């Protein structure tokens, strides 16, 4: 760059995306002025740790401060200004108006590149009583400090919203001894999952003493005499509670962007290109404030996740410096790009790990994608002969056109994130289910199986695509004309079976083919799907019309029960 | 297929590859005769579980039997003949000669397709005393039963060989209270790893009371009066021990293949193509008996691993049935292929997980591959602000030509297999280190970091390839002319530093540039490599010649100490 003139990079917002952008910019350009403005008192704090700070799992507030303004100054020569709000942007003069929130003083700063990392704010629906004391959010350290103080005098809490943060909060509050109720408008917890998968989590919450109220919304809050709140719900109930936490999502903080007429997307976030460049050539935006393109559906989405925010910060920084170098006529390596989002996420709820990547079945349908199939499986997290194997409940969604992986969900007590990470990696590389079959993964008895759960998922899906196996659709099960054939042992069958199911154990099937109808579709079911698959191969080759109920009775249970809850 | 004539598939060997092949063949062909011959008393047993059976972690022998002959017959209509040895193959007549090991009776069987899954046998070097009682191997259930009985009367054991199985055995025997010595010819344990990585394991073994003797071979065994053995070693020592276990590897069981002149490879295994087809059009071979092509080096190797054996069984079956269908003029989906091996492996040693995929640095050099670099890093398995973070020591090897990933090794107490699985998946998809940077993996505070260890490894390597960062070579460190600049705090420096290192903390570096030489190379070092990287960016942009010592003092320690041991 022109050594005579220092470039100025101003960054608005100092948590994940903003902080990453600032430090990356410094590494690429020793010679730029970099200033980070943060409205709150802290930069680079551990947002994702807040529920655990409230729950005393993370005991010291200082631990939440990943980097301090002092560290930014000393290590990176970055000027950090906390409790300083950027109140306006003049795009023509490339000036921002800055207010010191302590003194009220206003100042102006010039930029060559401006990065908006203003994040998102918790949604507070405009309901009667919403501003009463005792209604909390968990977004910042001050929020959490306030909640933590309130919790120490509380015996009960209502968590409004059953998403990832809602359930993390529920677990932490229950861990502190509070009686916790989760109120969720949808008929399931964890909206990124499909309902029959979310069912496992709902079941665990209830087992662990959390009251779960699905399909129910809060409509008003009133203060109780002598303290505490009463919540009126859409089902006409009143729930009494010492405190309430709102966890119904966040909204991108676009007021600054809107005021200076940057282009926004239809979801209300800032619209950026693959370099995180906004509609203004001198302004970039990163993190929770931007809309991102879904890698699978191609739809624009709001997806507030820490990993992508960090990568976006890096990418914006590299693009900014690339631009400076190009303008100065210098050599510049090609900039990085942000190629969209899978939506990989993980959460722990009372010992259950829930992880997902890609798109759920319901989201595929919402996006108008219909040419897919779903397989369910319930493998152990390691071989059954080694003590302590725990099941992983998995759902894999794939395109029937080309075998492309569209999404995966997994729930279990061990090694769940590992399997979703492998599938997410495969999806990043545009792998198909045929590739999943072949992956050479870590195996020793305590770590997996010679056919890893991921291989198994790939094998089942590939069998479908090769025509070796047809899948029945669980959603059609309540009004099927097909014969349901259960190939488990009589003892297993007697312990519970699907209505009108016929029982012929796999071991005797070859001798009993004459009992089966040749002109009626047969749906095969067993415990988890394996024996049904073996039976399907035998029957198909004998000329019967067969398909299997993927995941077996294990999956049947979740379809029946999650529908019960929803109904 | 021609319904008038049943095809006969004979399979020799009934453990991983053979059993997989048999059941897959049945699923594809209800109408074939499938016979599985097994010399031993069991089919489909859990070979990988044997050390844990000896160690009483797996308490019941029955657990090791993944599938019984009865199950093969009832579920799959497969005829299993245990304690039956195939003693000869007549390729012209397509007949095998079979001996019942109980009765001694000999019979002949015709095949349309023959699959050799004869496995491998433990190497027993022809040393004086090798056949003395008290010298054991651990390959079959009877082997293990014998060893288990011997262990119950033993106070000490020598494990000859420090590979994966040797260390698993050492841990299990120590767990039973035996005094265990591991004798290893090489200067490191776990030969698939590089020595500085294997060092962590050696250290852990010693901490846990295992006597480790590296660079030392056994030369003779003698029986002691009153019981027990004495081992004479290459260093002139005598080690006394109640029992000895040989774990120095296995040799493919090719006697049958050799007798009928099937083509063997230079490593002594059966040579097969991507369909597991041997040099005879009617014979296939799978599992530990075949040579496999390394995906990275292209070299033929012996690589006895359960996962690939199972996949090979599946692939051979699909190719056999494909051939039958083609000959019968029927439609047939294209057969699967086996595209070589990465060598992904994992092992637990006294609470440390060791995992690897791809090729080590020394194996790359042996294969004549020199245009690569190695990065070292030591990230926590999850964010440090969440309690319980454990370091993962990682080494990533990548091509400097195109960024292709060549191998990775990781060691730590938690979530190690997960990271290696992700990298193995990336390698299966021919990903580069640029891809690793961008992977969108599971993150919540207890599960990782917004920049996952895998992302970090990719970022460091990509920084190298983009020219943002130069790496010094640890192997040259003992005779470098460069200035070693340590950018840690004075307190950290005082606790231990490299010879002749200069200490300038990162925080004061920008003000002290005048102290540094402009005409001499500077090697930067810190705790784990991160601050050195920051310093490198500052110094490089100020015109200095800098490179970093990847992995910092954490890695330095392992280079010094593993060389000590080797010396």
């Amino acid at each position: 760059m022109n050594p005579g003139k220092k470039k100025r990079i101003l960054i608005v917002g100092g948590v994940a995306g903003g902080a990453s952008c600032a430090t990356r910019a410094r590494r690429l350009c020793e010679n730029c002025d970099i200033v980070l403005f943060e409205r709150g008192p802290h930069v680079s704090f551990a947002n994702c740790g807040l529920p655990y700070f409230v729950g005393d799992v993370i005991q010291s507030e200082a631990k939440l401060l990943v980097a301090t303004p002092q560290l930014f100054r000393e290590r990176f020569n970055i000027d950090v200004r906390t409790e300083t709000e950027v109140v306006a942007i003049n795009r023509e003069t490339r000036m921002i108006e800055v207010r010191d929130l302590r003194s009220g003083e206003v100042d102006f700063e010039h930029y060559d590149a401006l990065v908006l990392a203003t994040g998102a704010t918790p949604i507070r629906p405009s309901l009667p009583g919403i501003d009463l004391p005792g209604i909390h959010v968990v977004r910042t350290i001050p929020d959490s400090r306030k909640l933590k103080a309130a919790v120490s005098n509380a015996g009960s809490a209502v968590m409004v919203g059953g998403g990832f943060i809602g359930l993390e909060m529920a677990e932490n509050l229950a861990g502190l001894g509070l009686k916790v109720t989760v109120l969720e408008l949808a008929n399931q917890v964890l909206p990124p999952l499909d309902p029959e998968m979310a069912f496992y989590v709902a079941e665990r919450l209830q087992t662990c003493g959390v009251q779960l109220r699905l399909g129910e919304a809060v409509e008003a809050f009133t203060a109780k005499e002598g303290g505490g709140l009463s919540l009126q719900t859409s089902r006409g109930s009143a729930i009494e509670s010492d405190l309430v936490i709102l966890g119904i999502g966040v909204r991108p903080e676009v007021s600054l962007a809107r005021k200076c007429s940057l282009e926004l997307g239809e979801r209300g976030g800032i619209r950026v290109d693959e370099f995180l460049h906004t509609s203004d050539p001198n302004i970039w935006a990163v993190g929770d404030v931007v809309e991102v393109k879904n890698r699978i559906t191609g739809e624009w989405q709001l997806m507030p996740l820490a990993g992508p925010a960090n990568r976006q910060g890096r990418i914006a920084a590299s693009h900014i410096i690339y631009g400076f170098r190009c303008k100065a006529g210098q050599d510049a390596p090609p900039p990085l790009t942000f190629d969209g989002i899978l939506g990989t996420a993980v959460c722990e709820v009372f010992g259950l790990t829930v992880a997902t990547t890609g798109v759920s079945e319901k989201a595929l349908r919402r996006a108008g994608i219909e040419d897919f199939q779903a397989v369910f499986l319930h493998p152990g997290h390691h071989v059954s002969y080694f003590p302590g194997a725990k099941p992983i409940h998995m759902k894999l969604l794939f395109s029937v056109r080309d075998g492309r992986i569209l999404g995966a969900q997994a729930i279990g007590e061990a090694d769940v994130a590992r399997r979703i990470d492998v599938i997410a990696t495969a999806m990043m590389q545009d792998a198909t289910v045929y590739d999943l079959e072949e992956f050479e993964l870590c195996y020793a008895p305590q770590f997996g199986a010679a056919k890893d759960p991921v291989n198994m998922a790939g094998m089942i899906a590939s069998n479908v695509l090769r025509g070796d196996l047809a899948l029945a659709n669980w959603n059609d099960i309540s009004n099927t004309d097909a014969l349901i054939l259960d190939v488990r042992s009589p003892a297993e069958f007697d312990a519970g079976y699907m209505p009108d199911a016929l029982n012929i154990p796999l071991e005797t099937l070859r001798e009993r083919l004459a009992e089966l109808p040749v002109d009626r579709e047969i749906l095969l079911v067993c415990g988890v799907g394996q024996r049904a698959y073996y039976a399907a191969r035998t029957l198909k080759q004998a000329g019967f019309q067969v398909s299997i109920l993927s995941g077996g009775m294990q999956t049947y249970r979740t379809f029946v029960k999650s529908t019960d809850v929803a109904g």
Side-chain angles (χ1 to χ4, degrees), chain A:
Chain A
M1 277 156 269
N2 181 349
K5 200 184 158 211
K6 272 199 170 184
K7 295 285 186 184
R8 280 176 69 77
I9 303 171
L10 306 187
I11 298 170
V12 189
V15 191
S20 285
C21 185
T23 52
R24 178 73 176 170
R26 171 58 72 224
R27 290 196 292 276
L28 296 175
C29 179
E30 189 62 25
N31 208 26
C32 300
D33 277 335
I34 303 174
V35 190
L36 194 60
F37 298 93
E38 169 57 47
R39 191 162 57 174
H42 307 105
V43 285
S44 208
F45 69 90
N47 200 308
C48 309
L50 297 178
Y52 300 94
F53 171 60
V54 174
D56 265 348
V57 175
I58 298 169
Q59 294 186 344
S60 138
E61 192 180 301
K63 284 243 173 207
L64 297 173
L65 301 174
V66 177
T68 59
Q70 186 191 354
L71 184 140
F72 273 97
R73 189 175 57 248
E74 291 182 353
R75 284 212 174 153
F76 300 108
N77 188 24
I78 290 169
D79 180 5
V80 173
R81 309 203 193 148
T82 53
E83 299 186 68
T84 303
E85 187 169 11
V86 176
V87 291
I89 301 167
N90 186 326
R91 291 165 50 181
E92 296 209 355
T93 58
R94 283 191 275 147
M95 298 288 281
I96 59 172
E97 184 180 341
V98 170
R99 180 180 299 137
D100 183 321
L101 294 177
R102 284 155 302 198
S103 69
E105 267 175 41
V106 167
D107 209 347
F108 294 86
E109 299 273 354
H110 177 261
Y111 63 81
D112 294 290
L114 178 68
V115 180
L116 299 179
T118 43
T121 43
I123 294 173
R124 289 184 86 97
S126 51
L127 295 173
I130 189 73
D131 293 322
L132 284 170
I135 301 179
H136 295 261
V137 294
V138 201
R139 183 73 186 170
T140 63
I141 292 180
D143 288 345
S144 313
R145 205 187 287 144
K146 216 175 112 196
L147 175 57
K148 199 165 174 153
V151 161
S152 64
N153 297 313
S156 61
V158 173
M159 184 70 227
V160 181
F164 285 107
I165 292 167
L167 299 194
E168 284 178 351
M169 274 310 315
E171 179 183 3
N172 275 287
L173 295 174
L176 293 171
L178 272 70
K179 190 175 147 297
V180 179
T181 303
V182 173
L183 204 64
E184 167 60 54
L185 173 63
N187 283 321
Q188 63 167 89
V189 293
L190 297 177
L193 269 63
D194 286 314
E196 75 282 2
M197 297 300 286
F199 165 77
Y200 293 105
V201 185
E203 192 175 49
R204 176 63 61 105
L205 285 165
Q206 285 165 327
T207 308
C208 293
V210 170
Q211 254 228 13
L212 187 58
R213 302 176 73 140
L214 297 177
E216 193 168 0
V218 59
E219 298 197 325
F221 303 89
T222 47
K224 278 167 55 194
E225 253 178 75
L229 294 156
S230 176
L231 287 75
Q232 284 75 56
T233 80
S234 55
R235 295 201 169 170
S237 310
I239 310 175
E240 313 221 316
S241 175
D242 293 335
L243 54 88
V244 170
I245 301 155
L246 300 176
I248 53 174
V250 294
R251 189 173 279 141
E253 182 45 276
V254 292
S255 50
L256 204 52
R258 183 178 282 135
K259 267 195 343 204
C260 71
S261 305
L262 286 182
E263 187 187 344
L264 302 183
E266 59 225 40
R267 305 275 170 179
I270 300 178
R271 178 58 52 88
V272 288
D273 68 10
E274 70 270 35
F275 305 113
L276 288 312
H277 214 170
T278 68
S279 55
D280 181 300
N282 302 302
I283 305 178
W284 288 254
V286 300
D288 295 356
V289 75
V290 304
E291 289 186 7
V292 288
K293 207 165 219 173
N294 188 289
R295 278 179 177 260
I296 305 302
T297 64
E299 295 174 318
W300 288 102
Q301 293 186 311
L302 295 169
M303 183 78 82
L305 289 170
N310 274 285
R311 281 197 295 286
Q312 289 165 4
R314 264 172 75 86
I315 291 167
S318 83
H319 193 242
I320 290 167
I321 306 300
Y322 170 79
F324 290 169
R325 289 190 183 158
C326 289
K327 276 186 204 157
Q330 292 174 350
D331 259 3
L336 308 176
T337 57
F338 187 79
D339 299 324
I341 207 148
L342 283 179
T344 309
V346 66
C347 162
E348 189 174 355
V349 185
F350 293 103
L352 264 193
T353 304
V354 187
T356 176
T357 188
V359 183
S360 66
E361 178 167 350
K362 63 186 182 193
L364 286 172
R365 293 196 197 283
R366 263 201 311 265
I369 298 172
E370 297 284 347
D371 54 347
F372 68 86
Q373 286 209 298
V375 298
F376 294 90
L377 63 163
H378 310 276
H381 87 288
H382 63 51
V383 289
S384 59
Y385 68 78
F386 195 87
K390 305 283 184 187
I392 302 181
H393 306 292
M394 292 176 75
K395 178 177 188 175
L396 178 76
L397 294 148
F398 60 98
S399 165
V400 293
R401 206 162 10 93
D402 53 10
R404 186 171 168 234
I405 308 161
L406 303 175
Q409 299 160 48
I411 297 168
E413 294 183 358
D415 268 4
V416 169
R418 177 175 158 206
R419 272 60 192 228
I420 290 298
D421 273 355
V422 166
I423 297 176
T425 299
M427 292 177 75
M428 293 293 291
Q429 297 296 112
D430 295 322
T432 66
V433 295
Y434 300 114
D435 296 314
L436 292 188
E437 279 195 300
E438 297 300 320
F439 286 165
E440 193 189 316
L441 302 169
C442 287
Y443 164 56
Q446 64 277 63
F447 292 103
K451 291 176 190 162
D452 189 85
V454 171
N455 298 138
M456 290 296 297
M459 286 173 184
I460 301 170
S462 301
N463 284 335
V464 172
L465 293 180
R466 288 192 199 101
D468 292 341
L469 175 64
L471 296 178
N473 192 332
W474 279 110
N475 295 304
D476 304 336
I477 203 66
S478 53
N479 50 7
T480 180
D481 292 328
L483 169 67
I484 294 176
L485 177 59
D486 188 322
V487 295
R488 292 176 301 161
S489 70
E492 289 171 285
F493 185 80
D494 289 344
Y497 50 85
M498 290 171 64
D500 301 322
L502 172 68
N503 180 223
I504 301 182
L506 174 61
E507 287 71 17
T508 59
L509 184 63
R510 286 183 179 86
E511 300 132 37
R512 294 177 61 181
L513 297 182
E515 297 172 41
L516 295 172
V518 289
D519 51 357
R520 185 175 168 199
E521 198 192 350
I522 299 173
L523 304 189
L524 285 157
V525 69
C526 65
V528 294
Q530 195 170 33
R531 283 172 286 176
Y533 165 51
Y534 299 154
R537 293 303 305 152
T538 299
L539 294 183
K540 189 178 177 191
Q541 292 180 67
F544 293 94
Q545 307 162 48
V546 284
S547 39
I548 77 157
L549 285 161
S550 178
M553 293 300 289
Q554 273 267 17
T555 294
Y556 174 66
R557 189 176 75 93
T558 64
F559 267 94
V560 172
K561 296 216 180 163
S562 65
T563 314
D564 274 3
V565 170

